[in-house]
Amino acid sequence: MIYLDNAATTRLDEGCLDIIKEYGLNNFYNPSALYRKAMESGNAIKTARNIIAKSLGAKADEIIFTASGSEGDNIALLCSLRAKSGKIVVGSSEHSAVYNTALELKVRGYDVVFAPCDKFGKTDLEKLAEILDENVLLVSIMHVCNETGALNDLSTISKLIKNKSPKAIFHSDGVQAYGKIAVNVKTLGVDLYTVSGHKVHAPKGIGALYCRSGIFLKTFVFGGGQENGIRSATENVSSIMAFADIVERSFFNIKSNYSKVEELRNYLADKLLSTFDNLKINTDIKNSSPYVYSFAFNSARGEVLVHCLEDKGIIVGTGSACSAKRSTKRIPQALGISDDYSQGMIRISFCESNTKSEIDAFISALSESLAELIKYQNKSVGKDDCILTRLKLR
C-alpha cells in the first residue's frame, strides 16, 4: 500500500511500541498517587513536558497535555475568554475544531467574524486588518492550512493584532506545522498554540496546548486538578512518553526532512501539470508547507477517485478527515473554487518516508482511474446500474 494521506494521520513509529508497553504493563501507576512508583511516573511526565516545551521554545509550565489537537483548540477558544461578550476573529479556512467552536461561541452571544483567505487558503492580511479593532477579544489563525498547506505568517499577524487589537489573545492551530517546520512560539508571537501527536508518528489520543505565561485559562474538565486544574483526568502516561520520545528522537531532522519532502512535492506538482489538463491547483508552492498539496478535477468527484485509488493500493484524501463523514462546501467556498471543481478536490500529504517511485505509481493509478470513470460516464446504462450508483458519477 502507498499511503499519501499523512495530514489525516501518520503511521505509528515502531519505537513507540516499547514505550507504550513499558508504561502500560510495567510502570502503569497513576502519577497522582503518593507511593514511590507513582511518583516515578509523575517525574517521567515532567521530563516529557520539558521535551515538548523545548521543541516549541516554551517553558515547561506553559505546556498542557491534551487528548487531541481538537481538544486543544476547544480549550484555547472556550477557556481563554474572560468577558462574556465581544468580538472573536477566526480564519475562514480553519480546521473544523476551530471553526465549529467559533460557531458555538456565536451561539453563546459573541460577535464572531470569519477573516477571508486567498484562493490558496492563506489569511488575507489586508482584510484581517480591516476586521481587527479594539473590541476583539480573541483571534485564531492556523499556522499551516490542513486543506492546502498554505503557510500563514504568524509573526506578522501577531504584530498586526497587537497594533489594532492590543487586548486580544492570539491562538494558532499548529497541528500541521509542528514537527514539519521549525516552530518557536515566542518568535511567532502567539499566546496559545495547539499541537498533536498522531500527525508526527506518535499515538492517537495525545496532544499539547502551549499557553503563554500570564494567559488565564478557565477549567475545561473538572476533577482532580491535573494539568494545572485546566484539564483534570488521570494522565495518559504511555502516550505522553511516546509523544515526547518521538519529539526527542526525530525533531532534529526537521530541516533535512523538509528539504526531502519539498523536492517530493515539487516532483508531484510537475508530474500532475504535465499529465493532466483539466486540473485546478489549490496550493501555492511558494507560500506553503511542502507536506500538503491540493488540486481538483472538474471531470470526477474526489470521493470517487479516493475509492478508485484505494482499489489500486493507494491512499489519498479529499481534505480534512475530521469532516469526511459529512459533505461540506465551506472550504471550497472559502477558497473561491467554482462548483465545477469543488466536488473534485484531492489532497496529497506526505511524510519523510514517501518516495518518488510512489508518486510515479500514484500518477499512473490516477490516470487509469480517470480513464475508467470517463468510460463509465460515456457508457449508456440504466439509472439503477450498480456501478453508476456506487461511483456517484455526475
Side-chain angles (χ1 to χ4, degrees), residues 301-362:
R301 293 170 63 96
E303 180 183 356
V304 176
L305 284 172
V306 165
H307 292 305
C308 288
L309 289 166
E310 182 181 9
D311 289 342
K312 300 178 188 299
I314 298 176
I315 305 297
V316 301
T318 58
S320 174
C322 297
S323 302
K325 294 184 179 179
R326 50 188 171 82
S327 60
T328 176
K329 294 183 178 180
R330 176 173 69 88
I331 295 300
Q333 288 176 346
L335 301 178
I337 297 176
S338 66
D339 290 341
D340 288 345
Y341 285 94
S342 64
Q343 295 297 312
M345 291 180 65
I346 294 291
R347 181 186 68 180
I348 303 299
S349 47
F350 303 101
C351 78
E352 65 283 352
S353 64
N354 289 128
T355 63
K356 288 183 179 180
S357 63
E358 290 180 330
I359 299 304
D360 290 336
F362 163 69

Short mmCIF file of all heavy atoms in Angstrom, two decimals, residues 301-362:
data_model
loop_
_atom_site.label_atom_id
_atom_site.label_comp_id
_atom_site.label_asym_id
_atom_site.label_seq_id
_atom_site.Cartn_x
_atom_site.Cartn_y
_atom_site.Cartn_z
N ARG A 301 -15.53 13.21 -9.23
CA ARG A 301 -15.67 13.55 -7.82
C ARG A 301 -14.46 13.04 -7.03
O ARG A 301 -13.99 11.92 -7.25
CB ARG A 301 -16.95 12.95 -7.25
CG ARG A 301 -18.23 13.55 -7.82
CD ARG A 301 -19.43 12.75 -7.38
NE ARG A 301 -19.60 12.79 -5.94
CZ ARG A 301 -20.42 13.62 -5.29
NH1 ARG A 301 -21.12 14.51 -5.99
NH2 ARG A 301 -20.55 13.58 -3.98
N GLY A 302 -13.97 13.88 -6.12
CA GLY A 302 -12.84 13.48 -5.32
C GLY A 302 -13.10 12.22 -4.52
O GLY A 302 -12.24 11.33 -4.41
N GLU A 303 -14.30 12.10 -3.98
CA GLU A 303 -14.66 10.93 -3.19
C GLU A 303 -14.58 9.65 -4.02
O GLU A 303 -14.11 8.61 -3.55
CB GLU A 303 -16.07 11.10 -2.63
CG GLU A 303 -16.56 9.94 -1.80
CD GLU A 303 -17.99 10.11 -1.33
OE1 GLU A 303 -18.58 11.19 -1.60
OE2 GLU A 303 -18.53 9.18 -0.72
N VAL A 304 -15.02 9.74 -5.26
CA VAL A 304 -14.97 8.57 -6.15
C VAL A 304 -13.53 8.20 -6.47
O VAL A 304 -13.15 7.03 -6.45
CB VAL A 304 -15.76 8.86 -7.45
CG1 VAL A 304 -15.64 7.69 -8.42
CG2 VAL A 304 -17.21 9.15 -7.14
N LEU A 305 -12.71 9.21 -6.75
CA LEU A 305 -11.31 8.95 -7.05
C LEU A 305 -10.59 8.31 -5.86
O LEU A 305 -9.73 7.44 -6.04
CB LEU A 305 -10.60 10.25 -7.45
CG LEU A 305 -10.91 10.78 -8.85
CD1 LEU A 305 -10.32 12.16 -9.04
CD2 LEU A 305 -10.39 9.82 -9.90
N VAL A 306 -10.93 8.75 -4.65
CA VAL A 306 -10.33 8.17 -3.46
C VAL A 306 -10.57 6.66 -3.41
O VAL A 306 -9.67 5.87 -3.14
CB VAL A 306 -10.88 8.84 -2.18
CG1 VAL A 306 -10.53 8.01 -0.94
CG2 VAL A 306 -10.32 10.24 -2.03
N HIS A 307 -11.80 6.25 -3.71
CA HIS A 307 -12.13 4.82 -3.68
C HIS A 307 -11.48 4.06 -4.83
O HIS A 307 -11.03 2.92 -4.65
CB HIS A 307 -13.64 4.64 -3.69
CG HIS A 307 -14.32 5.12 -2.44
ND1 HIS A 307 -13.96 4.68 -1.19
CD2 HIS A 307 -15.32 6.02 -2.25
CE1 HIS A 307 -14.72 5.28 -0.28
NE2 HIS A 307 -15.54 6.10 -0.91
N CYS A 308 -11.43 4.69 -5.99
CA CYS A 308 -10.79 4.05 -7.14
C CYS A 308 -9.30 3.82 -6.86
O CYS A 308 -8.75 2.75 -7.15
CB CYS A 308 -10.96 4.90 -8.39
SG CYS A 308 -12.62 4.92 -9.07
N LEU A 309 -8.65 4.84 -6.30
CA LEU A 309 -7.23 4.73 -5.99
C LEU A 309 -6.99 3.70 -4.88
O LEU A 309 -6.00 2.97 -4.90
CB LEU A 309 -6.67 6.09 -5.60
CG LEU A 309 -6.56 7.11 -6.74
CD1 LEU A 309 -6.33 8.51 -6.19
CD2 LEU A 309 -5.43 6.73 -7.69
N GLU A 310 -7.90 3.66 -3.93
CA GLU A 310 -7.77 2.68 -2.85
C GLU A 310 -7.80 1.25 -3.41
O GLU A 310 -7.06 0.38 -2.96
CB GLU A 310 -8.87 2.87 -1.83
CG GLU A 310 -8.77 1.92 -0.64
CD GLU A 310 -9.90 2.11 0.35
OE1 GLU A 310 -10.86 2.85 0.05
OE2 GLU A 310 -9.83 1.51 1.44
N ASP A 311 -8.65 1.04 -4.40
CA ASP A 311 -8.72 -0.28 -5.04
C ASP A 311 -7.39 -0.65 -5.71
O ASP A 311 -7.10 -1.83 -5.92
CB ASP A 311 -9.84 -0.31 -6.07
CG ASP A 311 -11.22 -0.30 -5.43
OD1 ASP A 311 -11.32 -0.62 -4.22
OD2 ASP A 311 -12.20 0.03 -6.13
N LYS A 312 -6.61 0.37 -6.03
CA LYS A 312 -5.31 0.14 -6.67
C LYS A 312 -4.16 0.19 -5.65
O LYS A 312 -2.99 0.22 -6.02
CB LYS A 312 -5.09 1.18 -7.77
CG LYS A 312 -6.15 1.14 -8.88
CD LYS A 312 -5.90 2.22 -9.92
CE LYS A 312 -7.06 2.32 -10.91
NZ LYS A 312 -7.25 1.06 -11.66
N GLY A 313 -4.50 0.25 -4.38
CA GLY A 313 -3.49 0.20 -3.33
C GLY A 313 -2.87 1.53 -2.98
O GLY A 313 -1.78 1.57 -2.41
N ILE A 314 -3.57 2.64 -3.27
CA ILE A 314 -3.04 3.97 -2.99
C ILE A 314 -4.05 4.74 -2.15
O ILE A 314 -5.22 4.85 -2.52
CB ILE A 314 -2.71 4.73 -4.28
CG1 ILE A 314 -1.64 3.98 -5.07
CG2 ILE A 314 -2.25 6.16 -3.97
CD1 ILE A 314 -1.32 4.57 -6.40
N ILE A 315 -3.60 5.28 -1.03
CA ILE A 315 -4.47 6.02 -0.12
C ILE A 315 -4.19 7.51 -0.23
O ILE A 315 -3.07 7.97 0.00
CB ILE A 315 -4.25 5.58 1.34
CG1 ILE A 315 -4.43 4.06 1.48
CG2 ILE A 315 -5.20 6.32 2.27
CD1 ILE A 315 -5.80 3.55 1.15
N VAL A 316 -5.23 8.28 -0.58
CA VAL A 316 -5.14 9.75 -0.61
C VAL A 316 -6.37 10.29 0.11
O VAL A 316 -7.25 9.54 0.53
CB VAL A 316 -5.09 10.29 -2.07
CG1 VAL A 316 -3.89 9.73 -2.81
CG2 VAL A 316 -6.38 9.98 -2.81
N GLY A 317 -6.45 11.60 0.25
CA GLY A 317 -7.59 12.22 0.91
C GLY A 317 -8.26 13.26 0.03
O GLY A 317 -7.74 13.63 -1.03
N THR A 318 -9.41 13.72 0.49
CA THR A 318 -10.09 14.82 -0.20
C THR A 318 -9.99 16.11 0.60
O THR A 318 -10.37 17.17 0.12
CB THR A 318 -11.58 14.50 -0.43
OG1 THR A 318 -12.21 14.24 0.83
CG2 THR A 318 -11.74 13.28 -1.32
N GLY A 319 -9.53 16.00 1.83
CA GLY A 319 -9.45 17.17 2.70
C GLY A 319 -9.42 16.70 4.13
O GLY A 319 -9.01 15.57 4.42
N SER A 320 -9.88 17.53 5.05
CA SER A 320 -9.82 17.19 6.46
C SER A 320 -10.59 15.91 6.76
O SER A 320 -11.77 15.80 6.48
CB SER A 320 -10.41 18.32 7.32
OG SER A 320 -10.48 17.94 8.66
N ALA A 321 -9.89 14.93 7.35
CA ALA A 321 -10.54 13.67 7.70
C ALA A 321 -11.58 13.87 8.79
O ALA A 321 -12.50 13.07 8.94
CB ALA A 321 -9.50 12.66 8.17
N CYS A 322 -11.45 14.95 9.56
CA CYS A 322 -12.41 15.22 10.63
C CYS A 322 -13.77 15.64 10.09
O CYS A 322 -14.75 15.68 10.82
CB CYS A 322 -11.87 16.31 11.55
SG CYS A 322 -10.35 15.83 12.41
N SER A 323 -13.83 16.00 8.82
CA SER A 323 -15.10 16.40 8.21
C SER A 323 -15.55 15.41 7.14
O SER A 323 -16.49 15.67 6.40
CB SER A 323 -14.96 17.79 7.57
OG SER A 323 -14.57 18.74 8.53
N ALA A 324 -14.89 14.25 7.08
CA ALA A 324 -15.11 13.33 5.98
C ALA A 324 -16.49 12.68 6.01
O ALA A 324 -16.98 12.23 4.98
CB ALA A 324 -14.04 12.25 5.98
N LYS A 325 -17.13 12.61 7.17
CA LYS A 325 -18.40 11.91 7.28
C LYS A 325 -19.60 12.76 6.91
O LYS A 325 -20.72 12.32 6.96
CB LYS A 325 -18.55 11.34 8.69
CG LYS A 325 -17.52 10.24 8.99
CD LYS A 325 -17.75 9.61 10.35
CE LYS A 325 -16.73 8.52 10.61
NZ LYS A 325 -16.91 7.89 11.95
N ARG A 326 -19.36 14.00 6.59
CA ARG A 326 -20.46 14.84 6.15
C ARG A 326 -19.93 15.83 5.12
O ARG A 326 -18.92 16.46 5.30
CB ARG A 326 -21.10 15.58 7.33
CG ARG A 326 -20.10 16.30 8.20
CD ARG A 326 -20.78 16.85 9.44
NE ARG A 326 -19.83 17.37 10.38
CZ ARG A 326 -19.28 18.57 10.31
NH1 ARG A 326 -19.60 19.37 9.32
NH2 ARG A 326 -18.42 18.98 11.21
N SER A 327 -20.66 15.92 4.04
CA SER A 327 -20.22 16.78 2.95
C SER A 327 -20.26 18.25 3.39
O SER A 327 -21.11 18.67 4.16
CB SER A 327 -21.11 16.58 1.73
OG SER A 327 -22.45 16.90 2.04
N THR A 328 -19.33 19.03 2.92
CA THR A 328 -19.30 20.44 3.25
C THR A 328 -18.76 21.23 2.07
O THR A 328 -17.86 20.76 1.37
CB THR A 328 -18.46 20.71 4.50
OG1 THR A 328 -18.39 22.13 4.71
CG2 THR A 328 -17.05 20.15 4.35
N LYS A 329 -19.31 22.40 1.88
CA LYS A 329 -18.84 23.29 0.83
C LYS A 329 -18.05 24.45 1.41
O LYS A 329 -17.63 25.34 0.69
CB LYS A 329 -20.03 23.82 0.03
CG LYS A 329 -20.77 22.75 -0.77
CD LYS A 329 -21.88 23.37 -1.61
CE LYS A 329 -22.59 22.31 -2.45
NZ LYS A 329 -23.68 22.89 -3.28
N ARG A 330 -17.84 24.42 2.73
CA ARG A 330 -17.22 25.57 3.39
C ARG A 330 -15.84 25.88 2.84
O ARG A 330 -15.54 27.04 2.49
CB ARG A 330 -17.14 25.31 4.91
CG ARG A 330 -16.41 26.43 5.65
CD ARG A 330 -16.50 26.23 7.15
NE ARG A 330 -15.75 25.10 7.63
CZ ARG A 330 -14.47 25.13 7.97
NH1 ARG A 330 -13.77 26.26 7.83
NH2 ARG A 330 -13.86 24.07 8.44
N ILE A 331 -14.97 24.89 2.76
CA ILE A 331 -13.60 25.14 2.31
C ILE A 331 -13.56 25.54 0.84
O ILE A 331 -12.92 26.53 0.49
CB ILE A 331 -12.70 23.92 2.59
CG1 ILE A 331 -12.56 23.70 4.09
CG2 ILE A 331 -11.33 24.11 1.95
CD1 ILE A 331 -11.97 24.86 4.86
N PRO A 332 -14.23 24.81 -0.07
CA PRO A 332 -14.24 25.27 -1.47
C PRO A 332 -14.76 26.70 -1.62
O PRO A 332 -14.23 27.48 -2.41
CB PRO A 332 -15.16 24.26 -2.16
CG PRO A 332 -15.03 23.02 -1.34
CD PRO A 332 -14.90 23.51 0.07
N GLN A 333 -15.78 27.04 -0.84
CA GLN A 333 -16.31 28.40 -0.92
C GLN A 333 -15.30 29.41 -0.38
O GLN A 333 -15.14 30.50 -0.95
CB GLN A 333 -17.62 28.49 -0.13
CG GLN A 333 -18.78 27.79 -0.82
CD GLN A 333 -20.05 27.80 0.00
OE1 GLN A 333 -20.05 28.10 1.20
NE2 GLN A 333 -21.17 27.45 -0.62
N ALA A 334 -14.61 29.06 0.71
CA ALA A 334 -13.59 29.96 1.26
C ALA A 334 -12.46 30.19 0.27
O ALA A 334 -11.91 31.29 0.19
CB ALA A 334 -13.05 29.39 2.57
N LEU A 335 -12.13 29.15 -0.49
CA LEU A 335 -11.06 29.25 -1.48
C LEU A 335 -11.54 29.84 -2.81
O LEU A 335 -10.73 30.07 -3.72
CB LEU A 335 -10.45 27.87 -1.74
CG LEU A 335 -9.85 27.13 -0.54
CD1 LEU A 335 -9.33 25.76 -0.97
CD2 LEU A 335 -8.75 27.94 0.10
N GLY A 336 -12.84 30.03 -2.93
CA GLY A 336 -13.40 30.57 -4.17
C GLY A 336 -13.40 29.58 -5.31
O GLY A 336 -13.33 29.95 -6.48
N ILE A 337 -13.49 28.29 -4.99
CA ILE A 337 -13.49 27.25 -6.02
C ILE A 337 -14.88 27.11 -6.62
O ILE A 337 -15.88 27.02 -5.89
CB ILE A 337 -13.03 25.90 -5.41
CG1 ILE A 337 -11.59 26.03 -4.91
CG2 ILE A 337 -13.14 24.77 -6.43
CD1 ILE A 337 -11.08 24.79 -4.20
N SER A 338 -14.97 27.10 -7.92
CA SER A 338 -16.25 27.02 -8.60
C SER A 338 -16.89 25.65 -8.38
O SER A 338 -16.22 24.67 -8.02
CB SER A 338 -16.07 27.26 -10.10
OG SER A 338 -15.30 26.22 -10.68
N ASP A 339 -18.19 25.57 -8.63
CA ASP A 339 -18.93 24.32 -8.45
C ASP A 339 -18.36 23.20 -9.32
O ASP A 339 -18.41 22.03 -8.94
CB ASP A 339 -20.41 24.53 -8.77
CG ASP A 339 -21.11 25.40 -7.73
OD1 ASP A 339 -20.56 25.53 -6.62
OD2 ASP A 339 -22.18 25.94 -8.03
N ASP A 340 -17.83 23.55 -10.49
CA ASP A 340 -17.29 22.53 -11.40
C ASP A 340 -16.16 21.75 -10.75
O ASP A 340 -16.00 20.55 -11.02
CB ASP A 340 -16.78 23.18 -12.69
CG ASP A 340 -17.91 23.68 -13.57
OD1 ASP A 340 -19.06 23.26 -13.34
OD2 ASP A 340 -17.64 24.46 -14.49
N TYR A 341 -15.38 22.42 -9.91
CA TYR A 341 -14.20 21.79 -9.31
C TYR A 341 -14.38 21.44 -7.83
O TYR A 341 -13.59 20.66 -7.29
CB TYR A 341 -12.99 22.70 -9.45
CG TYR A 341 -12.41 22.76 -10.85
CD1 TYR A 341 -12.79 23.76 -11.74
CD2 TYR A 341 -11.48 21.82 -11.28
CE1 TYR A 341 -12.27 23.81 -13.03
CE2 TYR A 341 -10.95 21.87 -12.56
CZ TYR A 341 -11.35 22.86 -13.43
OH TYR A 341 -10.83 22.91 -14.70
N SER A 342 -15.39 22.01 -7.17
CA SER A 342 -15.49 21.88 -5.72
C SER A 342 -15.67 20.44 -5.26
O SER A 342 -15.26 20.08 -4.14
CB SER A 342 -16.64 22.74 -5.19
OG SER A 342 -17.89 22.28 -5.70
N GLN A 343 -16.29 19.59 -6.10
CA GLN A 343 -16.50 18.19 -5.72
C GLN A 343 -15.35 17.29 -6.15
O GLN A 343 -15.34 16.10 -5.84
CB GLN A 343 -17.80 17.68 -6.35
CG GLN A 343 -19.05 18.36 -5.83
CD GLN A 343 -19.26 18.12 -4.35
OE1 GLN A 343 -19.18 17.00 -3.87
NE2 GLN A 343 -19.52 19.19 -3.61
N GLY A 344 -14.36 17.88 -6.83
CA GLY A 344 -13.27 17.06 -7.35
C GLY A 344 -11.95 17.27 -6.66
O GLY A 344 -10.88 17.01 -7.23
N MET A 345 -11.98 17.72 -5.40
CA MET A 345 -10.74 18.03 -4.67
C MET A 345 -10.03 16.77 -4.18
O MET A 345 -10.66 15.84 -3.68
CB MET A 345 -11.03 18.96 -3.50
CG MET A 345 -11.44 20.36 -3.92
SD MET A 345 -11.77 21.46 -2.51
CE MET A 345 -10.14 21.57 -1.76
N ILE A 346 -8.72 16.77 -4.34
CA ILE A 346 -7.85 15.70 -3.84
C ILE A 346 -6.73 16.35 -3.03
O ILE A 346 -6.16 17.36 -3.44
CB ILE A 346 -7.24 14.88 -4.99
CG1 ILE A 346 -8.32 14.11 -5.74
CG2 ILE A 346 -6.17 13.92 -4.46
CD1 ILE A 346 -8.95 12.99 -4.95
N ARG A 347 -6.43 15.76 -1.87
CA ARG A 347 -5.33 16.26 -1.06
C ARG A 347 -4.28 15.17 -0.90
O ARG A 347 -4.57 14.06 -0.46
CB ARG A 347 -5.81 16.68 0.33
CG ARG A 347 -4.70 17.24 1.22
CD ARG A 347 -5.18 17.51 2.63
NE ARG A 347 -5.49 16.27 3.35
CZ ARG A 347 -5.93 16.23 4.61
NH1 ARG A 347 -6.13 17.36 5.27
NH2 ARG A 347 -6.18 15.08 5.20
N ILE A 348 -3.06 15.50 -1.30
CA ILE A 348 -1.92 14.60 -1.09
C ILE A 348 -1.10 15.17 0.06
O ILE A 348 -0.77 16.36 0.08
CB ILE A 348 -1.02 14.53 -2.35
CG1 ILE A 348 -1.84 14.08 -3.57
CG2 ILE A 348 0.16 13.59 -2.12
CD1 ILE A 348 -2.46 12.71 -3.42
N SER A 349 -0.79 14.34 1.03
CA SER A 349 0.02 14.81 2.16
C SER A 349 1.10 13.79 2.48
O SER A 349 0.84 12.59 2.55
CB SER A 349 -0.85 15.10 3.39
OG SER A 349 -1.76 14.04 3.65
N PHE A 350 2.30 14.30 2.65
CA PHE A 350 3.50 13.47 2.72
C PHE A 350 4.01 13.26 4.14
O PHE A 350 3.67 14.00 5.06
CB PHE A 350 4.63 14.13 1.92
CG PHE A 350 4.30 14.41 0.49
CD1 PHE A 350 3.95 15.70 0.10
CD2 PHE A 350 4.36 13.41 -0.46
CE1 PHE A 350 3.66 15.98 -1.23
CE2 PHE A 350 4.08 13.68 -1.78
CZ PHE A 350 3.72 14.96 -2.18
N CYS A 351 4.88 12.27 4.26
CA CYS A 351 5.77 12.18 5.41
C CYS A 351 7.16 11.93 4.85
O CYS A 351 7.34 11.73 3.63
CB CYS A 351 5.35 11.09 6.39
SG CYS A 351 5.77 9.42 5.90
N GLU A 352 8.14 11.91 5.71
CA GLU A 352 9.53 11.84 5.26
C GLU A 352 9.89 10.51 4.59
O GLU A 352 10.92 10.41 3.91
CB GLU A 352 10.47 12.10 6.44
CG GLU A 352 10.43 11.06 7.55
CD GLU A 352 9.22 11.19 8.45
OE1 GLU A 352 8.47 12.19 8.32
OE2 GLU A 352 9.02 10.28 9.29
N SER A 353 9.05 9.49 4.74
CA SER A 353 9.38 8.18 4.17
C SER A 353 8.81 7.97 2.77
O SER A 353 9.10 6.95 2.14
CB SER A 353 8.88 7.07 5.10
OG SER A 353 7.47 7.09 5.20
N ASN A 354 7.99 8.90 2.28
CA ASN A 354 7.46 8.77 0.92
C ASN A 354 8.57 8.93 -0.12
O ASN A 354 9.61 9.53 0.16
CB ASN A 354 6.36 9.79 0.67
CG ASN A 354 5.07 9.49 1.43
OD1 ASN A 354 4.54 10.35 2.13
ND2 ASN A 354 4.58 8.28 1.30
N THR A 355 8.35 8.39 -1.32
CA THR A 355 9.39 8.37 -2.35
C THR A 355 8.84 8.82 -3.71
O THR A 355 7.62 8.83 -3.92
CB THR A 355 9.96 6.95 -2.52
OG1 THR A 355 8.91 6.07 -2.97
CG2 THR A 355 10.52 6.43 -1.20
N LYS A 356 9.74 9.12 -4.63
CA LYS A 356 9.34 9.49 -5.98
C LYS A 356 8.69 8.33 -6.72
O LYS A 356 7.79 8.53 -7.54
CB LYS A 356 10.55 10.01 -6.77
CG LYS A 356 11.04 11.38 -6.32
CD LYS A 356 12.19 11.87 -7.19
CE LYS A 356 12.65 13.26 -6.75
NZ LYS A 356 13.78 13.75 -7.59
N SER A 357 9.14 7.13 -6.44
CA SER A 357 8.53 5.96 -7.10
C SER A 357 7.07 5.82 -6.68
O SER A 357 6.22 5.38 -7.48
CB SER A 357 9.31 4.69 -6.76
OG SER A 357 9.28 4.42 -5.38
N GLU A 358 6.75 6.21 -5.46
CA GLU A 358 5.35 6.18 -5.01
C GLU A 358 4.54 7.25 -5.75
O GLU A 358 3.37 7.02 -6.09
CB GLU A 358 5.28 6.40 -3.51
CG GLU A 358 5.81 5.24 -2.69
CD GLU A 358 5.73 5.48 -1.21
OE1 GLU A 358 5.82 6.66 -0.78
OE2 GLU A 358 5.60 4.50 -0.45
N ILE A 359 5.15 8.39 -6.01
CA ILE A 359 4.47 9.43 -6.78
C ILE A 359 4.22 8.95 -8.20
O ILE A 359 3.14 9.17 -8.77
CB ILE A 359 5.30 10.73 -6.79
CG1 ILE A 359 5.48 11.25 -5.36
CG2 ILE A 359 4.63 11.78 -7.66
CD1 ILE A 359 4.19 11.49 -4.61
N ASP A 360 5.20 8.29 -8.80
CA ASP A 360 5.01 7.74 -10.15
C ASP A 360 3.85 6.75 -10.17
O ASP A 360 3.02 6.76 -11.09
CB ASP A 360 6.29 7.04 -10.61
CG ASP A 360 7.44 8.01 -10.89
OD1 ASP A 360 7.14 9.19 -11.16
OD2 ASP A 360 8.60 7.59 -10.81
N ALA A 361 3.79 5.90 -9.16
CA ALA A 361 2.71 4.91 -9.08
C ALA A 361 1.36 5.61 -8.90
O ALA A 361 0.35 5.19 -9.49
CB ALA A 361 2.96 3.94 -7.93
N PHE A 362 1.34 6.67 -8.11
CA PHE A 362 0.11 7.43 -7.91
C PHE A 362 -0.37 8.08 -9.21
O PHE A 362 -1.55 8.00 -9.55
CB PHE A 362 0.33 8.51 -6.84
CG PHE A 362 -0.72 9.59 -6.85
CD1 PHE A 362 -2.02 9.31 -6.46
CD2 PHE A 362 -0.40 10.88 -7.26
CE1 PHE A 362 -2.99 10.31 -6.48
CE2 PHE A 362 -1.36 11.88 -7.28
CZ PHE A 362 -2.66 11.59 -6.89
#
